[in-house]
Amino acid sequence: MIDSHAHLDFDDFDLDRAQLFTAMAQQGISSAILPGVSAAHWSKQLEVAAEFDCYYALGIHPWFCPENIDTELEALAQLIELQRSDNKLVALGECGLDKRHNVSDFSTQLSLLERQLQLAIHYQLPVILHSVRAHNELLGLLKRYPNVKGGVLHGFYGGSELAKAYLALGYKLGIGGLIMDPKAKKLRETVSQLSIESFIVETDSPDMSPITSQNRRNSPLNLPSFVAEIAFLKNKSTVSILEQLDANVSQLFEL
């Protein structure tokens, strides 16, 4: 079992990171993909990935969109070039668009994402995407910059029609803690209706803790319950769903 999206390099895990990885191994969670968020985070992210043998992606999250994107994009390109022979580098991201988070100008977010999509194509990397209230703009850019490696729309929460729009472009859908919420009817219907080949499973740790958790900090230890809930919605055995989800993430990121 692999957590396809977990920020285990964040400060939230500094006090018990080693213990967490031990507990993950005991639950059969063999690894995680650590997405990048900004130049200020990349160094620690790479250190944690190396120490705990994790996969990782490099990118600039829209929440960390700099006013002048040129310098940071150049730094991103240089780091990808430096790390490109490392088989633990499996994607570009986390990148995307977020209209709810007003720290950065949306037009700057668009430019930042556009250039990261170009970088992903150049380096033949799949993309880990973040989208909040910006699906039309994101889909437009993905159509403009088709990527044969595809990617994932992480933290997916939408209905089947939106899901099909991403799937048609070669992207998978990242399913996380929201699947545990009975009120998330749109998402739960999407998971029950679409092929299991459409999905990969993630936690987005330390964020997006499921409503069933008593711990405000999310972690990969919640992953088995997400898989079990997906199996329940698909009316399939947990083992068969787990095997397919594992195959999906391995295929997408060429693990």
Side-chain angles (χ1 to χ4, degrees), residues 152-164:
V152 57
L153 196 287
H154 119 83
F156 185 76
Y157 55 86
S160 58
E161 291 308 308
L162 180 60
K164 290 174 183 176

Side-chain angles (χ1 to χ4, degrees), residues 6-7 23 27 32 42 51 70-71 77 83 90 125 133 154 187 193 195 199 246:
H7 299 280
Q27 286 201 22
W42 294 332
E51 181 178 358
D70 292 336
T71 301
Q83 301 293 126
V90 297
L125 291 169
R133 300 177 184 171
H154 119 83
L187 173 62
Q193 292 171 3
S195 168
F199 307 110
D246 188 54

Side-chain angles (χ1 to χ4, degrees), residues 2-61:
I2 295 174
D3 190 339
S4 68
H5 193 115
H7 299 280
L8 301 180
D9 55 304
F10 280 14
D11 294 350
D12 306 67
F13 298 102
D14 283 353
L15 295 178
D16 64 343
R17 188 174 288 111
Q19 295 94 316
L20 174 61
F21 274 94
T22 298
M24 287 165 57
Q26 291 170 346
Q27 286 201 22
I29 303 166
S30 58
S31 190
I33 297 174
L34 313 185
V37 295
S38 77
H41 291 78
W42 294 332
S43 179
K44 183 179 178 183
Q45 178 198 359
L46 292 176
E47 289 176 5
V48 171
E51 181 178 358
F52 295 98
D53 197 27
C54 288
Y55 301 101
Y56 62 92
L58 292 169
I60 307 169
H61 192 290

Side-chain angles (χ1 to χ4, degrees), residues 87-146:
N87 62 9
K88 295 295 183 179
L89 172 61
V90 297
L92 189 146
E94 176 180 357
C95 57
L97 302 171
D98 195 320
K99 288 184 178 178
R100 186 178 59 192
H101 197 80
N102 59 7
V103 169
S104 57
D105 179 74
F106 190 68
S107 63
T108 306
Q109 286 190 34
L110 285 167
S111 297
L112 180 64
L113 175 58
E114 181 175 17
R115 290 174 62 179
Q116 288 186 91
L117 293 177
Q118 292 171 334
L119 273 179
I121 293 168
H122 176 75
Y123 285 105
Q124 298 183 333
L125 291 169
V127 183
I128 298 173
L129 296 165
H130 170 107
S131 180
V132 176
R133 300 177 184 171
H135 291 290
N136 288 338
E137 293 89 345
L138 178 55
L139 285 165
L141 279 174
L142 296 181
K143 290 173 183 176
R144 186 175 172 188
Y145 296 101

Side-chain angles (χ1 to χ4, degrees), residues 62-80:
W63 289 10
F64 297 92
C65 184
E67 289 186 14
N68 185 339
I69 64 176
D70 292 336
T71 301
E72 197 143 327
L73 282 165
E74 179 61 29
L76 175 61
Q78 290 178 357
L79 187 56
I80 293 175

